[in-house]
Amino acid sequence: DVKVTQSSRYLVKRTGEKVFLECVQDMDHENMFWYRQDPGLGLRLIYFSYDVKMKEKGDIPEGYSVSREKKERFSLILESASTNQTSMYLCASSFQNLASTDTQYFGPGTRLTVL
Amino acid sequence: SQQGEEDPQALSIQEGENATMNCSYKTSINNLQWYRQNSGRGLVHLILIRSNEREKHSGRLRVTLDTSKKSSSLLITASRAADTASYFCATEGGSRLTFGEGTQLTVNP
């Protein structure tokens, strides 16, 4: 079975702190994604990556950056956390499929609270 | 804007009843996927239906796709309390998925 793990289930940080959210997948997937989920807004794509050291902006990249130094690991970085970044963060991965968009496998999520 | 939109936003039924959720989308797709999310957890893939398919079954799940109407439905038959969750449709936008806001299904024992 595909396994996607996220470093923390719950995280509390203070405004202005630098925050790292880590995601690791064990299925040799090329694609990895970071979403945030908020009530009434659904899932919104922050950043995604098709390969090592490669990244693409999603719909809401402002205030975030990402790092993909190894194929299995995709990190989301909040350079200076703000209260409006309090949210559930979901990581996902999938195979590269040039013909169509493949199934995404999700981690359990990290609920981040910024005080 | 969201590509996929689910309807209804919330659905409450009794155990044993069937639950139907609908999804509408705007642009042409190669496939449409349905996911489930238990409260406070990640999403789990349920079923994928390709644009050349009209209906697909998986256990108690039945998914239909009408590309002329740009809509899909997810039917859960003989629902159980454990089916209580949010259900999302996901459509393609380029090389990525776009999720709707989901239908919250509550199955009362």
Side-chain angles (χ1 to χ4, degrees):
Chain A
D1 281 349
V2 176
K3 192 166 184 185
V4 180
T5 57
Q6 294 183 229
S7 49
S8 305
R9 290 282 287 124
Y10 299 93
L11 208 53
V12 180
K13 295 292 181 180
R14 298 220 172 262
T15 301
E17 279 193 78
K18 191 169 186 176
V19 182
F20 292 87
L21 302 182
E22 305 283 344
C23 175
V24 177
Q25 50 92 6
D26 66 358
M27 278 300 291
D28 203 33
H29 285 167
E30 293 85 4
N31 301 336
M32 296 189 76
F33 307 83
W34 273 107
Y35 297 89
R36 65 177 281 177
Q37 184 177 25
D38 301 285
L41 296 175
L43 272 78
R44 293 180 291 169
L45 183 64
I46 306 171
Y47 267 99
F48 57 105
S49 169
Y50 292 139
D51 203 350
V52 176
K53 296 191 188 297
M54 177 274 173
K55 60 185 179 184
E56 291 281 347
K57 292 180 179 179
D59 298 321
I60 51 164
E62 298 78 19
Y64 303 94
S65 62
V66 290
S67 172
R68 192 153 179 214
E69 295 296 318
K70 293 185 178 181
K71 190 174 185 179
E72 67 271 19
R73 187 179 298 269
F74 192 35
S75 303
L76 180 69
I77 304 154
L78 287 66
E79 295 290 342
S80 178
S82 63
T83 54
N84 63 12
Q85 291 178 311
T86 292
S87 187
M88 169 72 107
Y89 289 88
L90 294 165
C91 174
S93 69
S94 71
F95 282 114
Q96 185 81 269
N97 184 333
L98 298 179
S100 65
T101 308
D102 216 334
T103 301
Q104 290 188 9
Y105 296 85
F106 282 80
T110 295
R111 187 164 293 281
L112 172 67
T113 302
V114 182
L115 302 175
Chain B
S1 63
Q2 297 288 355
Q3 162 76 312
E5 293 185 6
E6 291 92 347
D7 170 62
Q9 287 188 323
L11 182 61
S12 182
I13 60 174
Q14 295 300 122
E15 212 165 22
E17 294 180 342
N18 296 341
T20 299
M21 288 157 271
N22 303 297
C23 170
S24 58
Y25 58 93
K26 296 188 176 83
T27 61
S28 297
I29 57 172
N30 288 322
N31 66 58
L32 184 143
Q33 304 179 33
W34 284 91
Y35 288 79
R36 163 194 168 128
Q37 182 182 35
N38 288 78
S39 180
R41 308 294 297 184
L43 278 70
V44 174
H45 178 258
L46 292 176
I47 197 165
L48 181 153
I49 186 165
R50 303 196 185 281
S51 59
N52 61 354
E53 297 175 308
R54 291 295 167 258
E55 187 170 312
K56 200 163 183 180
H57 296 254
S58 177
R60 293 184 295 112
L61 304 181
R62 172 180 166 242
V63 169
T64 61
L65 180 64
D66 187 335
T67 52
S68 65
K69 294 181 179 177
K70 292 187 169 57
S71 68
S72 174
S73 67
L74 171 67
L75 168 68
I76 304 174
T77 59
S79 65
R80 305 167 183 167
D83 294 327
T84 294
S86 293
Y87 292 83
F88 296 84
C89 68
T91 54
E92 294 173 275
S95 302
R96 37 173 283 191
L97 293 178
T98 302
F99 291 83
E101 291 181 27
T103 293
Q104 171 61 51
L105 172 67
T106 302
V107 181
N108 302 299

